[in-house]
């Protein structure tokens, strides 16, 4: 339990570092700018890792990540269409893209009877491929918009929180917290499902209903996140594993730990992405670059 | 008194009928065995009884209530299910696994209460796994793991225990340990339904047997009345020799090697 203390300390340190470190001189404006990145980073990294943990639990599959279910690809597709039409990233388009694809995946999975849980994952993967091809088509068609789509696909924490969008972003964050708390209610169900669906059903869990709830809520959360910061990879796949290595299999502990670790990791990755080159790298590139060796190291230990 | 009454249930996967017009009942405190060849529909029946599958037609009454009218968590307080083999994707300590048997009694965010820990403790002792309590589940042998699963089922404090071939992958020692444990539970009032491929074990421990064949009940009765060479020859298409058990008046089955 007291492992949470060092993890939270590192988290606070990461916040401090991402505000202080960077090429520009520290003025109140720069601090303001970096503060908005910090807020987005905590929000995005935390949600992605938390949802990854929930989904890996539900599907009993360590390779599942938030983007497996298609809602992230949907957001990328929606966002790309928005960029094509209006020339700039619009979170609303991305969000509706994600909702649309999520709904489509759900409908496809429900066409025939059988276990919804296993069909969702198949439908999600297939729809992700479809979305990726459509995004590619848009990228080929578009010229100068290419650059913005690339950032949408790789992830970018650069949205500046200003007086115009402040209310909108606060609303998103409050909604996400409520949704995550709702998912956290099911920590025992997720523990039990790791022992197979028969065991879960025998203990009184309605698998069909449970799968639907988890799918809908995580899709909503991921849609919200990706529409704001793009499809940042790696965090949702690997942070839950690191969290389980450190905090054990019990979701009561490893889900909140995933949130904090995911947020910490994304803040550090973002700091690196700002200082490593003159031009800012998409943060998704950095998460994979520093995350993979770290994960291999931890796994071997 | 009857704890479970199954009336004319049908079940099919897609177009293949797996259960056809099956009716039987489980009396309070009874030790009932379901036997039959592979694919006869035995496991499907257990899954229907604990609410995992829904029959297409027919009725299941549990303690005078239709199974569809019983909340799933309430049902899990009355009936516990031990699957044939459990795969543990996450390596929980034994104690945590058994504590999960208390799930049907807990609301979301509710902490485990004193009585939950007591029931867990009791189940650990009863299934003789308390010495492993801190060990990760995947460090145990399959026989020990099966006892942990049984302990989890006991932590549910059920009135009925359903077991799907609990001894099928186990060595002699663990088979015996599990069957003796079930016998002791039954003597203390637990109603039990067990699927068993080992007809000798079924004959030795069960009070009554249901023999399934191609989705139907072929025959019901005590081991003495049901297990005979003619029936086994028809249902299993195998020549066997039957001899009385040396210590108990129940039939035991022997193969007859060809040409000997």
């Amino acid at each position: 339990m007291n492992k949470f203390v060092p993890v939270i300390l590192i988290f606070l340190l990461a916040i401090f570092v991402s505000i202080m470190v960077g090429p520009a001189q520290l003025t109140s404006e720069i601090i303001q700018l970096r503060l908005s990145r910090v807020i987005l980073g905590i929000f995005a990294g935390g949600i992605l890792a938390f949802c990854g943990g929930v989904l890996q639990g539900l599907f009993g599959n360590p390779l599942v990540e938030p983007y497996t279910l298609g809602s992230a690809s949907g957001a990328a597709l929606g966002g790309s269409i928005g960029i094509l039409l209006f020339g700039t990233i619009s979170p609303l388009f991305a969000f509706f893209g994600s909702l649309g694809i999520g709904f489509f995946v759900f409908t496809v999975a429900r066409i025939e009877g059988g276990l919804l849980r296993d069909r969702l994952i198949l439908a999600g993967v297939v729809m992700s491929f479809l979305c990726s091809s459509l995004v590619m088509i848009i990228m080929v068609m578009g010229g100068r918009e290419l650059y913005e789509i690339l950032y949408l696909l790789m992830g970018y924490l650069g949205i500046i929180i200003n007086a115009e969008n402040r209310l909108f972003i606060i609303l998103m964050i409050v909604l996400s917290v409520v949704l995550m708390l709702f998912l956290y209610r099911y920590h025992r169900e997720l523990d039990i499902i790791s022992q197979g669906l028969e065991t879960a059903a025998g203990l009184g869990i309605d698998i069909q209903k449970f799968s639907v709830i988890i799918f809908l809520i995580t899709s909503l959360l991921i849609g919200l996140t990706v529409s704001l910061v793009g499809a940042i990879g790696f965090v949702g796949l690997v942070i839950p594993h690191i969290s389980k290595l450190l905090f054990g299999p019990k979701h009561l502990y490893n889900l909140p730990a995933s949130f904090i670790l995911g947020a910490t990791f994304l803040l550090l990755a973002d700091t690196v992405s700002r200082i490593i080159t003159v031009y800012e790298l998409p943060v998704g590139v950095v998460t994979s670059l520093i995350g993979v060796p770290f994960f291999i190291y931890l796994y071997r230990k | 008194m009857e704890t479970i009454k199954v009336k004319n249930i049908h079940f099919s996967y897609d177009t293949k009928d797996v259960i056809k017009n099956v009716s039987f009942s489980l009396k309070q405190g009874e030790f009932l065995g379901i036997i039959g060849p592979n694919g006869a529909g035995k496991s499907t029946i257990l899954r229907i009884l604990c609410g995992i599958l829904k029959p297409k037609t027919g009725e299941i009454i549990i303690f005078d209530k239709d199974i569809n009218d019983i909340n799933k968590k309430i049902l899990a307080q009355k009936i516990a299910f031990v699957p044939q083999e459990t795969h543990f994707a996450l390596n929980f300590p034994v104690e945590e696994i058994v504590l999960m048997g208390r799930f049907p009694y807990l609301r979301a965010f509710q902490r485990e209460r004193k009585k939950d820990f007591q029931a867990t403790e009791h189940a650990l002792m009863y299934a003789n796994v308390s010495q492993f309590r801190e060990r990760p589940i995947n460090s145990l042998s399959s026989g020990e793991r099966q006892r942990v699963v049984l302990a989890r089922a006991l932590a549910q404090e059920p009135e009925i225990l359903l077991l799907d071939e609990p001894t099928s992958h186990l060595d002699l020692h663990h088979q015996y340990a599990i069957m003796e444990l079930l016998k002791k539970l039954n003597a203390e009032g637990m109603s039990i339904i067990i699927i068993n491929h080992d007809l000798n074990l079924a004959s030795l421990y069960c009070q009554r047997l249901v023999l399934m064949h191609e989705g139907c009940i072929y025959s019901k009765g005590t081991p003495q009345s049901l297990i005979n060479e003619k029936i086994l020859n028809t249902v299993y298409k195998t020549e066997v020799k039957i001899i009385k058990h040396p210590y108990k008046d129940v039939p035991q089955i022997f193969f007859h090697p060809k040409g000997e």
Side-chain angles (χ1 to χ4, degrees), chain A residues 46-204:
Chain A
I47 289 179
L48 289 173
F50 186 93
C51 288
V54 169
L55 291 172
Q56 284 172 9
L58 170 66
F59 290 102
N61 184 337
L63 293 176
V64 170
E65 56 158 342
Y67 304 147
T68 311
L69 293 183
S71 61
S73 325
L77 178 61
S80 306
I81 292 174
I83 291 170
L84 195 69
L85 293 180
F86 298 105
T88 54
I89 295 179
S90 102
L92 220 57
F93 264 86
F95 184 62
F96 282 112
S98 139
L99 277 193
I101 294 300
F103 182 74
F104 203 73
V105 167
F106 187 59
T107 316
V108 170
R110 259 179 32 151
I111 284 175
E112 255 182 272
L115 212 53
L116 203 55
R117 188 189 76 151
D118 301 343
R119 289 167 169 276
L120 278 173
I121 202 163
L122 196 65
V125 169
V126 171
M127 287 309 296
S128 296
F129 275 110
L130 180 69
C131 291
S132 306
S133 342
L134 292 177
V135 171
M136 293 295 167
I137 292 176
I138 293 174
M139 285 172 84
V140 170
M141 280 163 51
R144 61 187 172 77
E145 293 93 352
L146 204 72
Y147 193 66
E148 299 217 10
I149 295 179
L150 207 62
Y151 271 88
L152 187 66
L153 291 178
M154 301 302 304
Y156 175 63
L157 292 180
I159 295 182
I160 296 152
I161 303 180
N162 53 29
E164 252 173 77
N165 61 16
R166 186 176 295 140
L167 192 69
F168 173 70
I169 287 177
I170 290 173
L171 215 67
M172 293 273 237
I173 289 173
V174 170
L175 180 62
S176 313
V177 170
V178 171
L179 290 177
M180 272 190 287
L181 279 177
F182 186 78
L183 286 177
Y184 190 46
R185 275 166 59 94
Y186 295 105
H187 65 91
R188 276 202 193 94
E189 276 87 341
L190 292 169
D191 287 350
I192 290 170
I193 280 180
S194 76
Q195 293 165 48
L197 295 183
E198 279 196 337
T199 298
L203 281 167

Side-chain angles (χ1 to χ4, degrees), chain A residues 150 154-155 231-234 269 273 281-291:
Chain A
L150 207 62
M154 301 302 304
I232 297 171
F234 190 79
S273 83
L281 276 176
V283 68
V285 175
V286 181
T287 52
S288 310
L289 277 183
I290 61 174

